[in-house]
Amino acid sequence: MLRFARAVGVLLLFGVTQTPVRAQGVASNDERYTIIPRPSLLEPRDGAFRLQANTAVLVSASDSMLGHQLARDLAPATGFALRVQVGDAPDGVRTNTDAPRIVLRRDPAREALGREGYALTVSPTEVRIVASDAPGLFYGVQSLRQLLPAAIYRSARQNAVAWTIPAVHIEDTPRFSWRGAHLDVARHFMPVDFVKRWIDLLAMHKLNTFHWHLTEDQGWRIAINKYPRLTDIGGCRERTLLGAYTTSEATRRYDEARHCGFYTQDDIREVVQYAAERHITVVPEIEMPGHAQAMLAAYPELGVYPDSVIKPMEVWGVSDFILNVEESTIAFMHDVLTEVLELFPSPFIHVGGDEAKKAQWIASPRVQQRMRELGVKDEHELQSWFIRRMDTFLTARGRRLIGWDEILEGGLAPNATVMSWRGTAGAIAAARQGHDVVMAPTSHTYFDYYQSQDHSTEPRAFGGFLPLDTVYAYEPIPPELTTEQSRHVLGAQAQHWTEYMRTPRHVEYMAFPRLSALAEVVWTPAARKDFAHFRRRLDTHMTRLAALGVNARPVVPTGTPQPAR
Ligand code: ACM
């Protein structure tokens, strides 16, 4: 009787989830599948798989961690302790009486999927994810989680939910290899727990690059053993400007509260490992030669005015302070990078290079003399000389330098990759010179910009206006590039500068759901992008984010007033 009742229940449930007849114009058939980012290919199939307490996860020894990760992720909401069966025995043929199972397998014959692609097949008796490599298998699991009811993302048992997965066949590979999100933890320090949550949210969206902006005029956030003053002095500012940035010193008001924080090297190792377990590369950014006021507060001898008393910056905007160009300063930065390389396995190391004001170099007789010695003709070339010294250092150690597009101005270092933020001109110039580029233009990827034109209804933001549909419409390949040149576009990323984001909750408000849209920009084939389709899937996705407690901005038509925060 019990079994019969359950079977009827399942049938009824299938009836609901599979109903192909929908209100006119509301949803196409494949919108039963609300995966974000949208897969490259998705074939709806009949029937559904029902996750049950006796479902087993079958996985090879090489992927046992992923199998356990999946079982762990599914446990809180379902209350199931799924059995993870590790081994390489043949999977065998299914019969209808067998317990349903989830199979995760690598298949070298599927190398066309690339490292990050996967195939996911759901039938009533089996979920099978196949990939040629570990990242693909991981992304297949992320899609599987999104095929379950959104309540799967909740952290306590959901008694009333039937854990069904609609049958489907998916073949999915990413469009770009650099799918990123940047986070500035220097303007406002973000605790390790939040950084790990951030990584989880990136992984959920199949983003694979976390650009960690660790140093700024307002704070130095990474412990460097050789130079402890960087965090002892550079890790704290005495007070912080209240309200919007103003150039008028007389009208400025401050919070009169110390703002401190830095990551120990153990913290960094933990974050890097946590990210690696989610197939995310952490790209550290150490700013030079500008955005260096906190560093100069700690070690004024690195600057142009070594006898000055310098404090970490307490207002926003760009500091006039800049590093000097002595060999001892180059050696200091090499020492810092030496420790950075030990902590971060990332092939790319970001050295900033943006907004380095040259006034102090122009005013300094010593710097001018050095320029003559070095035979550089102007301060832009001097900055390029500085960046080249880092490029040589990193290249010799098997790493690749990346910097903001200002590193083009005095001539690009031979192995540099350019992160193009001031529009696309930097990307176009660099790609034409045969350099790789990452797209990060303010117009589409600066998530510190307002999400409404009515600023009075939003928390204070940097300025600008960057609504969800504009993010979604972004095309990372500049039309000026030839097909050959466009291969240099590695991908794109979203920027989260935190001058006006004091808390993790505020970061989440600015990031989501815009980051969900950007995930589709960098993952989904251009021909499969469709804002209306995305917007409908987003309704479910917002429920997922809510289940995770993410403080996403509600999706409302552009310009609709929001409650003030
Ligand atoms: C930047 O926004 N200064 C890269």
Side-chain angles (χ1 to χ4, degrees), residues 261-275:
F262 69 90
Y263 306 101
T264 65
Q265 295 203 347
D266 281 341
D267 289 339
I268 303 251
R269 274 186 279 270
E270 180 171 335
V271 166
V272 168
Q273 180 60 30
Y274 191 87

Side-chain angles (χ1 to χ4, degrees), residues 229-544:
R229 287 171 61 86
L230 285 171
T231 42
D232 288 351
I233 305 295
C236 271
R237 61 175 179 268
E238 289 303 317
R239 57 182 190 165
T240 302
L241 183 73
L242 287 173
Y245 176 68
T246 162
T247 49
S248 150
E249 286 189 33
T251 60
R252 286 178 185 161
R253 290 181 309 114
Y254 295 86
D255 61 4
E256 303 306 338
R258 292 188 96 207
H259 181 86
C260 303
F262 69 90
Y263 306 101
T264 65
Q265 295 203 347
D266 281 341
D267 289 339
I268 303 251
R269 274 186 279 270
E270 180 171 335
V271 166
V272 168
Q273 180 60 30
Y274 191 87
E277 289 170 9
R278 288 151 185 81
H279 298 284
I280 289 177
T281 302
V282 185
V283 178
E285 180 179 355
I286 308 293
E287 280 266 23
M288 62 188 90
H291 285 285
Q293 188 170 322
M295 188 186 338
L296 291 171
Y299 295 97
E301 63 271 27
L302 303 174
V304 176
Y305 301 106
D307 300 325
S308 305
V309 175
I310 303 170
K311 298 193 295 183
M313 205 173 175
E314 296 166 352
V315 298
W316 313 126
V318 183
S319 168
D320 290 330
F321 282 99
I322 187 166
L323 300 181
N324 66 34
V325 287
E326 303 299 328
E327 280 305 316
S328 52
T329 298
I330 299 291
F332 185 104
M333 296 317 295
H334 286 171
D335 288 343
V336 169
L337 289 179
T338 297
E339 293 193 29
V340 166
L341 296 186
E342 277 165 19
L343 292 167
F344 294 92
S346 166
F348 286 96
I349 303 293
H350 204 303
V351 298
D354 59 316
E355 299 179 315
K357 289 197 196 171
K358 309 296 189 305
Q360 293 189 350
W361 280 357
I362 293 169
S364 160
R366 170 65 195 148
V367 172
Q368 293 299 313
Q369 178 200 336
R370 188 91 172 110
M371 279 170 59
R372 286 189 292 278
E373 283 166 21
L374 296 169
V376 302
K377 80 168 188 307
D378 62 19
E379 289 72 21
H380 292 303
E381 275 196 10
L382 186 60
Q383 161 147 341
S384 283
W385 171 86
F386 195 111
I387 298 294
R388 275 202 186 95
R389 294 295 300 273
M390 301 303 139
D391 186 42
T392 309
F393 180 86
L394 292 172
T395 302
R397 285 152 187 81
R399 306 296 185 99
R400 298 178 65 184
L401 177 145
I402 184 165
W404 300 106
D405 57 60
E406 285 91 332
I407 65 172
L408 275 153
E409 284 170 352
L412 205 45
N415 302 305
T417 295
V418 170
M419 189 167 271
S420 192
W421 71 282
R422 299 175 302 175
T424 56
I428 294 164
R432 284 184 177 153
Q433 292 174 38
H435 289 252
D436 285 345
V437 301
V438 173
M439 307 306 293
T442 54
S443 57
H444 293 82
T445 68
Y446 267 46
F447 291 3
D448 54 344
Y449 283 13
Y450 279 99
Q451 301 183 72
S452 167
Q453 266 167 320
D454 180 357
H455 295 182
S456 70
T457 60
E458 291 286 309
R460 186 181 303 287
F462 189 84
F465 175 48
L466 180 49
L468 185 67
D469 50 352
T470 303
V471 175
Y472 192 85
Y474 182 47
E475 166 47 53
I477 305 274
E480 294 86 347
L481 296 183
T482 64
T483 307
E484 185 57 34
Q485 291 162 347
S486 70
R487 286 195 240 285
H488 287 295
V489 179
L490 302 180
Q493 65 173 40
Q495 280 43 250
H496 303 86
W497 301 103
T498 56
E499 287 96 329
Y500 301 107
M501 303 178 210
R502 285 177 173 245
T503 63
R505 272 183 73 72
H506 194 159
V507 172
E508 290 179 0
Y509 181 87
M510 301 305 278
F512 295 101
R514 289 187 290 193
L515 198 53
S516 312
L518 191 88
E520 198 145 312
V521 168
V522 288
W523 179 281
T524 304
R528 292 268 292 166
K529 274 177 66 195
D530 171 344
F531 183 70
H533 195 283
F534 168 76
R535 182 61 193 81
R536 290 191 290 267
R537 279 177 285 124
L538 187 59
D539 283 340
T540 306
H541 198 68
M542 291 296 282
T543 313
R544 292 179 193 124

